[in-house]
DNA sequence: TGATATTTGCGCAATTATCTG
DNA sequence: ACAGATAATTGCGCAAATATC
């Protein structure tokens, strides 16, 4: 594995350009409960149980059966463990693997339609351009994950606060209910009393 | 470059052994709000702004200033982009990088205390043993992440439910308060009335 | 004690969302 | 309005740290 990714040591890319330091802190778009249903359009390496029916094509074939319920114990079977050797440039880590995988059984690997070992098809792995892109993305990823962490933490805190608030409100309700009971009881007693004491004492009814 | 990580094509590792299919669904250990404070003992590549003060030693030096507030715009500066070339086996992806990095400024790299390029110090990268471990870990990682996703979703749902419940309780409180006000008003009126009507009618004060 | 499982941060690549000219 | 560029998200695998057994 090894990630090439060879140092490019201390090439700091000090430029970086904060790119509109939003940093948000914007409250989560979650709360909609639908946040899980979205985001699964990767196709990336959507072969989970390494068996995975047909569809050797390049369909996006969303939903990599990883979301939702993982079938409660049947999932999490190994599924990678067969990767192309990719001695040249390593075209893509996940995609195409499916093709490769089934080409063993179905197709003779289409010799040249894709995968040109030369510095074509995007960026050469060690170009400065590539490293710049990677570095920027790495920064963005860290930022995004921090944001997600903060969001999760906020949600948890909110849940805790709501729970406490809930408790307080319930106590309040109990207290009010008790007061009401007392007053009502008192009134009913007075009502009886007034009846016992006789009629007109100005008790309007 | 190039993944090495060579396929080990179709070596399915069908064993896998579900290892006590817990799958949990256990409610989160979160809710403790402290979940963020923990987990930062990596030392991994804890140099974020690629500048990062002294401490070139091997201290765990927890807290990679990524948690908490990212300083609102100063963080997320590139910080990797200086990795060891690791032409041999690549001993570790992140750790030791710190050492490398500061060895440039502080220490001559201790020549042999660690990092034996030979097939020592752990497993060779293409051993079956290694692949087995990796595969198991990959499965575990997917499982763990699914669990985390479910947990987050549950927390969000819980927050929503609590909010609704909260609203209901507040309405209830308003209603009870109103009833109490009415009754009290009624009683005070009666009190005045009884005073106007004459003296004691048994109004115990 | 060591082996295994779980959790975590990281970088990569693909996808999606936003800008920008 | 549209295409290219850039940022933001997401799933993945890796390795290290930690938790469990």
């Amino acid at each position: 594995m090894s990630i090439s990714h060879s140092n490019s040591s201390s090439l700091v890319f000090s430029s970086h350009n904060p790119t509109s330091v939003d940093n948000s802190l914007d409250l989560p778009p979650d709360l909609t409960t639908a946040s899980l249903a979205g985001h699964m359009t990767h196709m990336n390496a959507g072969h989970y149980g390494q068996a995975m029916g047909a569809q050797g094509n390049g369909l996006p074939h969303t939903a990599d059966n990883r979301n939702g319920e993982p079938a409660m114990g049947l999932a999490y079977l190994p599924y990678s463990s067969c990767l192309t050797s990719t001695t040249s440039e390593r075209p893509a880590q996940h995609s195409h693997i499916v093709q490769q995988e089934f080409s063993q059984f179905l197709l003779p690997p289409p010799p040249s339609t894709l995968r040109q070992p030369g510095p074509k098809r995007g960026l050469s792995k060690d170009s400065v351009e590539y490293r710049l892109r990677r570095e920027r993305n790495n920064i963005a990823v860290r930022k995004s994950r921090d944001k997600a962490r903060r969001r999760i933490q906020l949600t948890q805190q909110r849940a805790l606060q709501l729970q406490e608030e809930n408790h307080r409100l319930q106590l309040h309700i109990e207290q009010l209910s008790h007061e009401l009971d007392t007053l009502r009881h008192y009134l009913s007693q007075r009502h009886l009393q007034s009846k016992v004491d006789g009629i007109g004492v100005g008790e309007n009814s």
Side-chain angles (χ1 to χ4, degrees), chain A:
Chain A
M1 55 210 36
S2 67
I3 302 200
S4 63
H5 179 243
S6 52
N7 44 22
S8 66
S9 55
S10 78
L11 208 174
V12 182
F13 297 119
S14 59
S15 60
H16 169 238
N17 160 14
T19 60
S20 78
V21 192
D22 71 337
N23 211 299
S24 51
L25 250 200
D26 52 347
L27 263 292
D30 46 38
L31 273 269
T32 62
T33 316
S35 65
L36 178 134
H39 321 304
M40 35 160 113
T41 55
H42 266 273
M43 110 160 264
N44 195 349
H47 45 314
Y48 209 49
Q50 50 77 5
M52 186 202 222
Q55 140 246 51
N57 54 38
L59 277 174
H61 92 291
T62 53
D64 43 5
N65 53 311
R66 201 174 291 80
N67 293 303
E69 291 303 355
M72 271 313 187
L74 294 178
Y76 306 124
L77 290 173
Y79 75 103
S80 59
S81 75
C82 354
L83 296 171
T84 86
S85 190
T86 62
T87 45
S88 68
E89 270 314 7
R90 184 172 42 121
Q93 207 161 31
H94 305 306
S95 307
H96 321 293
I97 296 174
V98 178
Q99 258 189 20
Q100 277 289 132
E101 213 164 303
F102 290 105
S103 67
Q104 294 181 297
F105 313 108
L106 301 176
L107 327 160
S112 61
T113 48
L114 298 173
R115 300 294 65 84
Q116 304 172 1
K120 263 308 188 66
R121 178 66 249 171
L123 294 68
S124 62
K125 207 57 82 179
D126 33 51
S127 78
V128 179
E129 169 69 6
Y130 171 77
R131 280 322 310 167
L132 273 173
R133 287 183 183 285
R134 285 302 329 134
E135 201 59 43
R136 276 198 294 263
N137 179 247
N138 291 341
I139 292 165
V141 165
R142 290 197 292 267
K143 180 173 158 185
S144 179
R145 284 172 180 154
D146 273 349
K147 190 172 158 186
R149 273 189 283 268
R150 284 196 299 274
R151 197 174 18 174
I152 292 168
Q153 221 212 349
L154 281 178
T155 305
Q156 288 177 349
Q157 280 178 227
R158 207 166 70 88
L160 277 181
Q161 288 173 338
L162 285 172
Q163 199 165 29
E164 293 172 17
E165 175 76 359
N166 236 326
H167 195 238
R168 278 198 301 272
L169 292 179
Q170 278 180 344
L171 288 184
H172 194 180
I173 284 177
E174 280 183 36
Q175 183 207 336
L176 292 181
S177 298
H178 186 257
E179 285 185 42
L180 263 179
D181 279 351
T182 302
L183 271 185
R184 285 199 178 111
H185 184 255
Y186 171 67
L187 273 178
S188 68
Q189 287 300 99
R190 287 246 316 167
H191 189 65
L192 291 177
Q193 186 78 17
S194 64
K195 270 187 178 166
V196 168
D197 285 350
I199 307 85
V201 200
E203 304 272 353
N204 42 357
S205 89

